[in-house]
Amino acid sequence: MKEGYRFVVDLDLEKFFDRVNHDRLMRKISEKVKDKKVLQLIRKYLQSGVMENGLVKPTTEGAPQGGPLSPILSNIVLDELDKELEKRGHRFVRYADDCNIYVKTLRAGERVKASITGFIETRLKLKVNQTKSAVDRPWRRKFLGFSFSSDKEPKVRIAKQSLQKAKARIREITSRKKAMRMEERIQELNRYLMGWHGYFSLADTPSAFKAIDMWIRRRLRMCLWKQWKNPRTKVKRLISLGVPKDKAYEWGNTRKGYWRIAGSPILQRALSNQYWESNGLKSALDRYNFLRNIS
């Protein structure tokens, strides 16, 4: 992108793991692997079948998605695509069945898309999903959950879809309808966020992590406010957190909704960042900064 390749051919292989041709894959593997027992074992793995409604259904094509051998098999299948792209001098990146080819103009992108689609469908016997594939600006597409900024010096961003997916999971954990102790809720949040932070720490946008932190704390304040239930308990809790008695009485007896109260200055001060940190909540921004510093 820095060198002017600011259009991307984003190719999506339709049901890739379901469509891998067994005979073609085994022929490719046998070019390197000569041990017949190993070849038989791989063939059995491919034909082991899938279980649907308690019944095993035989498989005549495809590789088990999520299976331990499938990633390396996908690379063997698509190694021929990599070699073809290299031979043509393209700038590209591929991970499993996700492939992005970078070009300088929209017209070049359309030409490359048509040509490579023909190669994939004719030579590799795979299907390109035309609905999901496109020639577009890189900052309008996502790759492995990431996207880019449109600056001359592009920054790696978390794709909107990835943020939406993370928020959906966090909503489940912090739903006020989900009855659980706050300690357990925080533990479950930390378990989910640890992996999420680690993966997306590659992004150059600390503001996204700061926003997630603020949003999570507001949702936790909402859950806690509901847990306190009756006005008397709310007043007592607010006073114990250092809120003046008159303000504690005023807010403890308010009829405003949970989400609105969770964003109020009075509850933000009472249930501050330090409060959540002391209760074990891990900060997305702090972990992001830590991972960036050690990388």
Side-chain angles (χ1 to χ4, degrees):
M1 287 176 67
K2 290 178 182 177
E3 294 170 3
Y5 293 80
R6 294 174 72 84
F7 283 90
V8 63
V9 181
D10 188 358
L11 293 175
D12 182 87
L13 300 183
E14 189 174 300
K15 295 182 179 178
F16 170 74
F17 285 99
D18 296 335
R19 294 180 180 273
V20 172
N21 184 286
H22 289 178
D23 292 334
R24 197 175 190 287
L25 173 58
M26 293 307 304
R27 188 164 62 249
K28 194 75 178 173
I29 295 171
S30 65
E31 291 175 7
K32 298 285 184 181
V33 179
K34 302 304 177 185
D35 190 322
K36 290 185 178 180
K37 288 186 177 180
V38 173
L39 294 173
Q40 288 172 359
L41 186 62
I42 295 171
R43 172 77 77 168
K44 285 181 179 179
Y45 168 83
L46 291 169
Q47 296 179 340
S48 59
V50 293
M51 185 170 284
E52 294 180 357
N53 300 321
L55 298 173
V56 176
K57 182 182 176 183
T59 48
T60 56
E61 64 176 359
Q65 189 165 1
L69 199 58
S70 295
I72 194 168
L73 293 179
S74 71
N75 276 335
I76 292 170
V77 171
L78 295 173
D79 181 63
E80 199 170 339
L81 172 61
D82 295 345
K83 295 293 191 292
E84 182 67 19
L85 292 171
E86 287 171 359
K87 188 173 76 174
R88 297 186 188 191
H90 287 309
R91 309 295 181 92
F92 73 96
V93 58
R94 181 185 65 77
Y95 184 87
D97 57 335
D98 288 322
C99 183
N100 282 356
I101 308 166
Y102 290 83
V103 295
K104 290 189 173 181
T105 66
L106 180 63
R107 187 174 179 182
E110 296 290 358
R111 187 173 63 249
V112 169
K113 180 174 178 284
S115 175
I116 296 301
T117 296
F119 175 83
I120 290 170
E121 295 188 345
T122 305
R123 288 283 297 276
L124 303 184
K125 309 298 181 187
L126 296 168
K127 180 76 174 171
V128 173
N129 188 326
Q130 295 295 338
T131 306
K132 294 184 178 180
S133 299
V135 180
D136 205 344
R137 295 291 195 178
W139 47 89
R140 293 180 191 148
R141 308 295 294 182
K142 72 179 180 73
F143 182 72
L144 304 178
F146 291 94
S147 188
F148 299 94
S149 69
S150 58
D151 307 316
K152 287 185 179 180
E153 293 284 323
K155 293 180 179 179
V156 179
R157 296 189 295 112
I158 304 172
K160 288 181 181 178
Q161 299 94 319
S162 300
L163 284 171
Q164 289 167 358
K165 187 177 179 181
K167 283 191 168 186
R169 179 69 185 113
I170 292 166
R171 278 193 188 94
E172 288 178 18
I173 299 171
T174 58
S175 171
R176 64 175 188 261
K177 296 178 182 177
K178 186 173 183 178
M180 62 191 305
R181 291 167 59 240
M182 185 55 70
E183 294 85 351
E184 294 171 353
R185 203 184 293 271
I186 288 174
Q187 285 175 8
E188 192 172 336
L189 261 177
N190 285 340
R191 280 195 296 270
Y192 172 72
L193 291 171
M194 183 174 288
W196 193 86
H197 296 162
Y199 184 78
F200 286 106
S201 62
L202 180 67
D204 299 316
T205 50
S207 58
F209 290 85
K210 184 178 179 180
I212 281 281
D213 266 351
M214 292 170 64
W215 184 72
I216 287 172
R217 287 193 293 265
R218 184 172 179 179
R219 289 197 63 83
L220 290 176
R221 289 196 297 269
M222 175 188 68
C223 292
L224 202 53
W225 189 250
K226 186 185 179 184
Q227 280 183 15
W228 290 348
K229 292 183 179 179
N230 63 63
R232 184 182 297 177
T233 303
K234 290 173 181 176
V235 172
K236 185 179 177 181
R237 295 282 188 176
L238 288 173
I239 292 171
S240 71
L241 290 164
V243 177
K245 287 185 178 180
D246 58 333
K247 285 290 181 184
Y249 184 82
E250 177 188 342
W251 285 92
N253 288 278
T254 184
R255 294 190 177 184
K256 293 176 181 177
Y258 295 115
W259 182 245
R260 189 173 174 185
I261 290 291
S264 66
I266 195 82
L267 213 59
Q268 286 187 57
R269 284 196 299 271
L271 302 173
S272 63
N273 297 1
Q274 290 74 23
Y275 172 87
W276 294 113
E277 186 180 343
S278 67
N279 279 272
L281 181 67
K282 304 299 183 185
S283 163
L285 183 60
D286 288 350
R287 183 159 178 80
Y288 168 81
N289 289 331
F290 171 75
L291 291 170
R292 297 283 289 190
N293 288 335
I294 65 172
S295 61

